[in-house]
């Protein structure tokens, strides 16, 4: 049986409960909720994305909310940028020749 992840962003939580069976979809096994802080450091972004500190700082320089020594970012602004950058990096890699 496969495992699928759904992500919802809304003002109110969805009306889905654990062990609830949704017709034609399956059974709800796990639910997670995450609150993002208003500002996140580079180390938080390094845990989420497989980029070096230097790459993150150079890419997100216009979005820096801290000083040069303390790089702080708004996660709602920068996470979509890093997700797109990650997709571009994966698409750019050449295929292995056997």
């Amino acid at each position: 049986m496969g495992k699928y992840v759904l992500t919802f962003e809304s003002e109110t939580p969805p009306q889905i409960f654990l062990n609830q069976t949704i017709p034609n979809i399956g059974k709800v096994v796990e639910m997670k909720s995450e609150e993002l802080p208003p500002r996140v450091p580079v180390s938080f972004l390094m845990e989420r994305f497989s980029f070096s500190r230097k790459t993150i700082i150079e890419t997100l320089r216009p979005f820096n909310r801290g000083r040069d020594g303390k790089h702080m970012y708004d996660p709602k602004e920068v996470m979509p940028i890093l997700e797109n950058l990650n997709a571009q990096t994966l698409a750019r890699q050449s295929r292995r020749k056997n």
Side-chain angles (χ1 to χ4, degrees):
M1 187 177 287
K3 181 178 180 179
Y4 303 94
V5 178
L6 302 173
T7 304
F8 296 99
E9 287 186 14
S10 67
E11 298 296 324
T12 58
Q15 296 296 319
I16 298 174
F17 304 101
L18 284 175
N19 295 323
Q20 176 183 0
T21 302
I22 301 172
N24 297 329
I25 295 178
K27 186 176 181 179
V28 179
V29 180
E30 178 183 8
M31 291 175 49
K32 293 181 182 178
S33 176
E34 177 182 42
E35 287 290 324
L36 294 174
R39 301 281 184 264
V40 294
V42 176
S43 60
F44 178 85
L45 298 172
M46 286 173 57
E47 290 174 4
R48 293 262 176 137
F49 302 96
S50 61
F51 294 121
S52 68
R53 179 178 175 85
K54 181 181 176 184
T55 302
I56 292 174
I57 291 172
E58 288 177 357
T59 304
L60 302 177
R61 188 172 305 279
F63 301 98
N64 187 8
R65 299 283 183 237
R67 295 187 303 260
D68 285 337
K70 192 171 194 175
H71 302 278
M72 301 292 283
Y73 303 98
D74 183 3
K76 293 177 184 172
E77 288 181 351
V78 299
M79 289 180 80
I81 293 168
L82 291 175
E83 288 170 357
N84 289 339
L85 185 64
N86 194 20
Q88 287 176 350
T89 306
L90 292 175
R92 185 175 31 195
Q93 293 176 353
S94 61
R95 295 188 175 209
R96 199 174 93 179
K97 188 175 183 181
N98 288 338

